[in-house]
Amino acid sequence: MIWILLVLLYGLFKGLREIAKKKAMTKNSVMEVLVAYTILSFVMVIPEAKAAMGMPGRFYIYVALKSLVIFIAWMCSFRSLKHLPVSLYGILDLSRVLFATFLAVTVIHETLNFNQIMGMLLVCCGLMLLKFKPAFLYSLLEKGNSQSPTDSKTQIQSDGKYKLYVFCAFVSCLLNAVSGLMDKILMKDINSSQLQFWYMLFLVIYYVIYMLVTRTPMSKTVLKNGWIWLMALIFVIGDKALFVANANPDSRVTIMTLIKQSGCVITIIGGRLVFKEKDTTYRLVCAAVVIAGIVISVL
């Protein structure tokens, strides 16, 4: 049961991290936040350097590949979060459940029991409710909202950039699912310190190369952005918890992926309290359906 609590901690921290990202990007550009966040996170794991030594040679290639996957995933997710409501992004992020489950079943041959299948169906139901917004349910939950679900849908369809950011969010979910699968496979042969230290180092290298090639400027104020420091801290703690959970032979990718999505509740509540977003009642109901699926899956 310890691994379940560790993954739950990761999920809650993940929700807090999305709010911190959104706030950080109100003060600095996407790339400034992304690069500073990555470098600060790496600095925080440097104390793990001694325990990270001695990794077998071939695993440097595997970890570098994982870092490349995360490098692209973060580029997509940060740009999406910059332009999408944090509560909506948090629920779109739930789609990684579908990607991760497919990969776990097809690649490492995990099996789904009845509870997990029912849980997956509820997760899918919650996502479908979010996408299609049945008028009767939306009107019941969002009384007094001047914008109907049809108006909202029309607005989204007329905004090509909005569609692009939604697409980027889904690409990020797919790549994060790939990364999660790699974590489970890699943690069979290396320890959490090795994985965390080296994948963060490779990430720093990738982002520095990107900044040099694209000649992207960095503001001197970026290190004064307290939200970036908060992001880095909760990211390092959350990732450590996740890697330790992956090392447990009883842990399963399908279950861990479902538990991670508990963070969507944090993003919806944060969207309402911090960013004054609307439609949060409806989104909370969608999230409640998803969370019910998660609970059923781990019973």
Side-chain angles (χ1 to χ4, degrees):
M1 289 295 293
I2 295 297
W3 67 269
I4 292 178
L5 295 176
L6 289 172
V7 179
L8 180 61
L9 175 66
Y10 171 86
L12 297 177
F13 274 18
K14 180 177 177 294
L16 291 173
R17 196 166 76 241
E18 304 303 351
I19 296 170
K21 287 179 189 175
K22 186 82 172 174
K23 289 293 290 184
M25 288 186 289
T26 62
K27 297 183 178 182
N28 294 97
S29 70
V30 171
M31 286 310 301
E32 285 177 335
V33 172
L34 188 47
V35 172
Y37 163 59
T38 305
I39 292 174
L40 284 175
S41 297
F42 173 67
V43 170
M44 291 181 183
V45 303
I46 286 179
E48 299 272 355
K50 186 175 180 180
M53 298 299 111
M55 189 168 67
R58 69 184 186 279
F59 286 99
Y60 291 99
I61 299 175
Y62 302 151
V63 175
L65 180 59
K66 170 191 162 61
S67 297
L68 181 61
V69 169
I70 290 295
F71 167 74
I72 300 171
W74 283 4
M75 294 279 279
C76 292
S77 66
F78 272 66
R79 293 187 186 281
S80 298
L81 186 57
K82 171 76 173 179
H83 299 280
L84 296 176
V86 68
S87 54
L88 175 59
Y89 177 86
I91 299 182
L92 289 173
D93 190 58
L94 294 171
S95 62
R96 74 169 67 185
V97 170
L98 307 178
F99 298 128
T101 300
F102 175 78
L103 290 171
V105 170
T106 56
V107 178
I108 58 178
H109 308 296
E110 289 191 359
T111 57
L112 298 175
N113 60 31
F114 177 78
N115 281 7
Q116 289 160 12
I117 292 172
M118 293 302 297
M120 285 295 300
L121 290 175
L122 280 174
V123 169
C124 292
C125 180
L127 291 171
M128 295 295 285
L129 285 173
L130 173 70
K131 177 175 175 59
F132 293 107
K133 289 185 179 179
F136 75 93
L137 182 59
Y138 184 91
S139 300
L140 178 66
L141 296 172
E142 295 291 349
K143 292 179 180 178
N145 192 321
S146 60
Q147 186 179 45
S148 70
T150 303
D151 296 335
S152 178
K153 186 175 180 180
T154 301
Q155 179 183 348
I156 291 174
Q157 289 176 340
S158 64
D159 189 344
K161 287 186 176 180
Y162 195 105
K163 288 183 178 180
L164 175 62
Y165 297 133
V166 170
F167 174 75
C168 285
F170 282 121
V171 170
S172 172
C173 290
L174 173 58
L175 294 176
N176 274 291
V178 172
S179 174
L181 180 68
M182 294 182 72
D183 289 345
K184 183 62 178 175
I185 295 172
L186 290 170
M187 287 303 299
K188 293 179 181 179
D189 298 290
I190 61 178
N191 63 50
S192 60
S193 296
Q194 290 172 329
L195 181 55
Q196 189 167 33
F197 177 84
W198 290 107
Y199 114 81
M200 288 305 305
L201 176 58
F202 283 121
L203 267 179
V204 169
I205 293 171
Y206 291 148
Y207 282 115
V208 169
I209 291 174
Y210 177 88
M211 296 289 284
L212 292 175
V213 171
T214 59
R215 298 182 180 180
T216 303
M218 284 286 286
S219 169
K220 294 180 179 179
T221 64
V222 69
L223 291 180
K224 297 180 181 179
N225 189 334
W227 291 104
I228 298 177
W229 289 85
L230 177 61
M231 285 164 54
L233 178 62
I234 59 181
F235 168 68
V236 169
I237 297 172
D239 255 24
K240 185 68 172 180
L242 183 62
F243 293 154
V244 172
N246 268 293
N248 190 313
D250 293 330
S251 64
R252 301 178 61 189
V253 172
T254 48
I255 300 296
M256 287 193 293
T257 304
L258 288 169
I259 298 172
K260 289 177 189 177
Q261 307 320 309
S262 56
C264 73
V265 176
I266 303 297
T267 61
I268 294 171
I269 295 173
R272 179 67 174 181
L273 298 179
V274 179
F275 300 102
K276 312 302 179 185
E277 294 175 1
K278 297 180 179 179
D279 291 1
T280 49
T281 302
Y282 183 83
R283 290 170 185 168
L284 274 173
V285 170
C286 294
V289 174
V290 174
I291 296 300
I294 295 172
V295 172
I296 290 173
S297 297
V298 299
L299 290 178

